Amino acid sequence: MRFANVLKFVIKFLLNRKFMTLLVLIVSIVSFILLGQMITYAFTGQYHAKEIEDKLSYGIDKTCQIQFPYKEETSEFRDKVNQLIAYGNTLEGVKGCGYYDFFGASFTELANNKNYIEKNELLYKNTPYGRHPESSQVLFVMEGISDLCRVNVIEGSDEFKRCDDGALPLLVGYEYKDIVPIGTELTNEDTGTRYKVTGVMAKGSKWLGDVDYLGTDTEKLDNKFVAMYDPEYIDATMSVLSSLDTCFCIVEDGADIKGISDKISAKANELKLGVFCKPVRAVLAEYEAPYKADMGLKVLLAVMFTFFSILSVSSSETVSILFRRPEYGIMYANGMSTADIIKMVVAENILVVAAAFIVAYGWESYSLLKDTSPFRTIRLSIHRELVSVYLLAVAAVIVAISCIVPIAIIKRLKPVELIKGRE
Amino acid sequence: MIKIKNLVKVYKGETYETRALDGIDLTIEDGEFVAVMGPSGSGKSTLLNVIGCMDTLTEGEYYLDDYEIHKLKLKELHKVRREKISFVFQHFALMSNFSVYENVEVPLLAKNVNKSRRKKIVYEKLKMLGIDNLADKLPTQISGGQQQRAAIARALTSDNDIILADEPTGALDRKTGQDLMNMLTEINASGKTVIIVTHDDKVASATKRIINIVDGRITGDEENA
C-alpha cells in the first residue's frame, strides 16, 4: 500500500483516539524536555572549558593566571600589583603580562554623534546600557596581554601598539565599523586620554568575561571597543582592584612555566603580595573538580531517565495499537497485507514520537532563546549540537522498541482471529 | 473457479485438537450462487474463511483460478484476497470511527487506486445501494440495514469475482434481510460468484445451490430449484 494511504489510516487512528494520543504525546514531550535539560546542564561546564581553550590565543597551557586571593583597597597595594606586572613582563620566556576589564566609558567625540547614539539605542534596547546610548562599552586591556584571546581584525592593523602621534590604539566592534571608521580620534572624557581607531574586529569576536571568566559566558565584542588600558586607570586603585580577577601572564613556546611561576610568586612574596601563578589548565581543573564528581551521577540519572522514557512511551503506544486489532482484521478482509499493517504501526509510532520531538525541541529552543542566564550561548550550542542528536537517537530507540511487541503480535495473529472467532 | 480436494482443517491448542473440516471435496463454478448450511459448529464459517484465504488449510488442495492456494503461505494469501475475494460479515465489520465513505473506500486504498477514481467508484456503489446520502455518517449513526448495505458496497468496490457472505442477514429484521438477499441475487446475476454461509432455510432458498455441512463433512450438495 502507498505511504500516503498508510498515513491516511494512521492520522485517522490517532484522531479517533485523541485522549490516548494526547497522553502518549505529553509523556513523550515531557521526557524529551527533561532529557534535553539534563544533557544541557550536564555538559555546560565541559563546553565552557572548551570554549575558553578555543578562545585563548596561546592555549590553556601557555596562558597562566595570576590569582590574588587577598586584595587591599590601598594605593600601596595597587602600586605593588603594578610592580609585579612590570616585573613579569621582564622575565625571560614571558610574552606578556597584564590585566583587562570591561568598563563603561564616554568618548567626547561620540557624545553628540547622532548615528552612534541611534545605533546604541538599538543595540542596547531593553538593557541598563540603553539609558545612556552616548556612552561606550570598552574592554581595556594591557598591552602585554592584548592578544590573550583570538580576535580577528578585518580592517586596519592588528598591531596593538601606541600610535606614532602618541594616541593609544582602539579597535571597534563590527557594529560600529561604519560609524567610527579607522583613523577616528577619540578622547576618554574621564581621563583625557587620546585614542585612535586602528582596526575593526571581525563579526562574532569574543573575549573572556571580566568578573568570573570561568563561571560566566564569554563577552561578545561586536557592540564594544577594545582599547589599550588607560594609563590613568592603571594609577586608579579601584580600576586595578577590579581587574585583578583577570590578570594573566602569557609564556613563550618552550618556556619554563614552573620557573616563571616560581619567580612571579617569589617577587610577589618580596612585595608582600600573596599570589598564585598557574596555567589556566590547572585553574580549570580546580574549577571543574566538584562538577566532575557529580558528572557520574548525572550520567547515571540521564541513562535511567532515558530508559524509563522509552519504557513508558513504548508501553502506552503498544497498548494503543493492540486495542485496534478488530480494525486490522477488517483491513485484512479487505485486501491489506501484514506488511501494510506493520507499515501503519511503524508510521504511527514515528508520527507520535516525531511530533513529541518537534514540540519538545521547539519548546526548549524557545526557552533557551528567552534565557538570560550567563551560559545562554553555551547552552544553545549544546542544545543544537548535542541535545538534538541525542534526542533523535532516543526517539529512534523509542520508535524501534514501540514497534517490536505490536509487530510480533501482528505477525503471529491470523486474519481470521482478528475479525471473527472460529466456528 | 473454486476447486477443493480433501480439505482438512485442524485447530490445535495446548490441550485440545479440533477437526473443523474433515475431507471436503467441492467445486464451485464461476457465477454460481451457493448457500452453505449447517448447524452451529459444523465448520461452515471455517470453510468460508479457507475459501476466502483468511485462513490456511491443514491438509488437502485448494485451487482458485490459477492459484494453488494450498501451496501459499498465510502472508502470500493477501494478494489473492485483494484480487479475487470480497467479504460481507454478519455484524457488518465496519470500522466504527470511519465514515461510511471511508469504510467503503478501504479495498480501493489497499489496491492503491488514485483519489479521484476512488471517489467515483465509492459514490457509484453507494448510489447503487441507495445510501449515497449517508456517505459522511458514522456506522453508529445509521440502521443495521443501512450498515449491511455499506458492507455490500464495500464488497463491490473492489470488483472482485467472488463474494463471500457469512450470515449476512443474521443481524437484520426479516424485511431488511429479504432486501439484502434481493441485492445479492442481483449481484450474482451480474456474473459474480456469491457464496453465503447461513442456517436460515429462507436465505438458502434464494440461492441456486445448497451445500450442507455437518461435523466438518459435506452431507448434502444439491441444486435449488
Side-chain angles (χ1 to χ4, degrees), chain A residues 1-6 8-10 12-13 16-17 324 326-340 411-423, chain B residues 9 11 16 39-46 49 54-56 74-75 78 81-82 85 87 89 93-95 97-99 102 105-107 109-110 112-114 118 154 166 197:
Chain A
M1 192 162 56
R2 278 194 203 124
F3 181 69
N5 293 350
V6 170
K8 189 179 162 82
F9 280 102
V10 169
K12 190 82 187 172
F13 283 146
N16 286 339
R17 287 190 165 85
R324 209 170 294 137
E327 276 105 328
Y328 291 149
I330 293 168
M331 289 175 186
Y332 273 125
N334 285 285
M336 289 188 196
S337 63
T338 307
D340 291 334
K411 276 187 163 180
R412 214 182 58 224
L413 285 172
K414 291 176 181 174
V416 69
E417 290 169 341
L418 292 170
I419 196 159
K420 197 170 184 268
R422 297 168 199 144
E423 197 185 78
Chain B
K9 179 68 191 177
Y11 289 115
Y16 69 91
S40 291
S42 60
K44 55 187 190 298
S45 284
T46 303
N49 286 329
M54 289 284 276
D55 211 348
T56 50
L74 191 65
K75 66 179 179 184
H78 76 269
R81 211 162 50 232
R82 194 168 58 209
I85 297 156
F87 285 90
F89 294 100
L94 296 172
M95 291 186 276
N97 292 311
F98 287 62
S99 68
E102 287 164 333
E105 189 187 27
V106 172
L109 289 169
N112 287 327
V113 175
N114 69 47
R118 279 203 309 267
R154 182 178 61 192
D166 192 356
V197 161

Side-chain angles (χ1 to χ4, degrees), chain B residues 107-153:
Chain B
L108 300 175
L109 289 169
K111 285 186 170 183
N112 287 327
V113 175
N114 69 47
K115 194 178 176 182
S116 58
R117 191 159 158 68
R118 279 203 309 267
K119 192 173 179 182
K120 185 174 176 285
I121 295 171
V122 170
Y123 272 106
E124 188 185 297
K125 302 303 173 192
L126 290 177
K127 202 167 186 181
M128 183 195 288
L129 289 149
I131 51 168
D132 52 322
N133 57 328
L134 305 176
D136 296 329
K137 300 271 185 195
L138 292 174
T140 48
Q141 295 169 319
I142 58 177
S143 70
Q146 288 165 331
Q147 285 185 55
Q148 196 59 296
R149 280 168 186 259
I152 292 172

Side-chain angles (χ1 to χ4, degrees), chain A residues 44-344:
Chain A
T44 301
Q46 278 170 307
Y47 259 65
H48 187 47
K50 192 178 174 301
E51 192 182 26
I52 288 171
E53 193 171 354
D54 292 345
K55 194 91 302 252
L56 289 171
S57 305
Y58 298 92
I60 55 175
D61 291 315
K62 286 191 283 179
T63 307
C64 299
Q65 187 183 357
I66 302 172
Q67 296 172 311
F68 294 82
Y70 170 75
K71 293 169 197 166
E72 213 175 81
E73 201 181 317
T74 61
S75 54
E76 289 78 16
F77 180 82
R78 176 201 68 205
D79 292 342
K80 286 176 186 176
V81 168
N82 287 332
Q83 280 178 54
L84 184 68
I85 300 298
Y87 171 75
N89 276 312
T90 63
L91 287 174
E92 193 182 338
V94 170
K95 200 178 171 305
C97 217
Y99 44 75
Y100 68 82
D101 203 359
F102 285 92
F103 296 160
S106 293
F107 293 112
T108 313
E109 294 77 3
L110 297 177
N112 296 311
N113 185 321
K114 197 176 161 221
N115 290 340
Y116 182 73
I117 290 170
E118 279 175 4
K119 185 75 175 177
N120 274 350
E121 279 171 349
L122 200 69
L123 290 172
Y124 292 109
K125 197 177 176 184
N126 300 326
T127 74
Y129 302 125
R131 288 198 287 270
H132 301 286
E134 73 287 353
S135 68
S136 310
Q137 298 305 308
V138 186
L139 164 65
F140 287 101
V141 57
M142 292 183 93
E143 188 178 356
I145 58 162
S146 62
D147 55 353
L148 176 78
C149 294
R150 285 194 182 94
V151 173
N152 289 332
V153 174
I154 53 168
E155 278 177 43
S157 166
D158 58 358
E159 274 204 16
F160 204 68
K161 294 203 176 300
R162 188 182 280 269
C163 303
D164 294 340
D165 61 1
L168 295 179
L170 184 118
L171 302 175
V172 297
Y174 187 82
E175 294 287 352
Y176 303 124
K177 68 181 171 64
D178 299 324
I179 301 169
V180 191
I182 291 171
T184 307
E185 293 203 7
L186 299 173
T187 311
N188 187 342
E189 213 167 71
D190 293 339
T191 62
T193 307
R194 278 194 313 118
Y195 283 94
K196 186 186 271 184
V197 176
T198 55
V200 177
M201 292 179 281
K203 193 174 185 180
S205 295
K206 286 179 177 180
W207 196 273
L208 299 186
D210 61 341
V211 180
D212 171 12
Y213 76 97
L214 292 176
T216 56
D217 213 347
T218 47
E219 291 276 352
K220 286 180 186 164
L221 299 176
D222 288 351
N223 53 352
K224 295 183 178 69
F225 296 89
V226 175
M228 186 175 280
Y229 214 100
D230 193 316
E232 296 292 324
Y233 291 150
I234 292 175
D235 292 333
T237 306
M238 287 312 294
S239 303
V240 174
L241 281 177
S242 71
S243 304
L244 291 187
D245 289 330
T246 48
C247 186
F248 291 92
C249 174
I250 302 166
V251 301
E252 289 171 349
D253 283 338
D256 173 16
I257 295 173
K258 189 171 181 312
I260 292 168
S261 176
D262 288 347
K263 280 177 188 168
I264 290 174
S265 296
K267 180 68 179 176
N269 284 340
E270 186 190 312
L271 293 167
K272 296 197 167 33
L273 292 173
V275 303
F276 300 106
C277 179
K278 46 191 152 187
V280 172
R281 181 182 292 281
V283 180
L284 262 172
E286 281 172 19
Y287 182 80
E288 284 172 5
Y291 295 100
K292 278 191 174 161
D294 285 349
M295 195 63 180
L297 183 68
K298 279 178 183 164
V299 170
L300 183 71
L301 278 173
V303 169
M304 277 176 62
F305 207 83
T306 306
F307 175 75
F308 285 122
S309 317
I310 289 170
L311 203 68
S312 60
V313 176
S314 306
S315 52
S316 43
E317 268 295 271
T318 303
V319 169
S320 150
I321 284 162
L322 292 179
F323 265 122
R324 209 170 294 137
R325 289 195 302 180
E327 276 105 328
Y328 291 149
I330 293 168
M331 289 175 186
Y332 273 125
N334 285 285
M336 289 188 196
S337 63
T338 307
D340 291 334
I341 309 288
I342 288 173
K343 274 185 216 167
M344 285 182 205

Side-chain angles (χ1 to χ4, degrees), chain A residues 354-373:
Chain A
F357 171 82
I358 290 166
V359 172
Y361 194 75
W363 173 260
E364 266 305 283
S365 304
Y366 175 76
S367 305
L368 284 170
L369 286 170
K370 288 266 172 191
D371 188 12
T372 51
S373 69

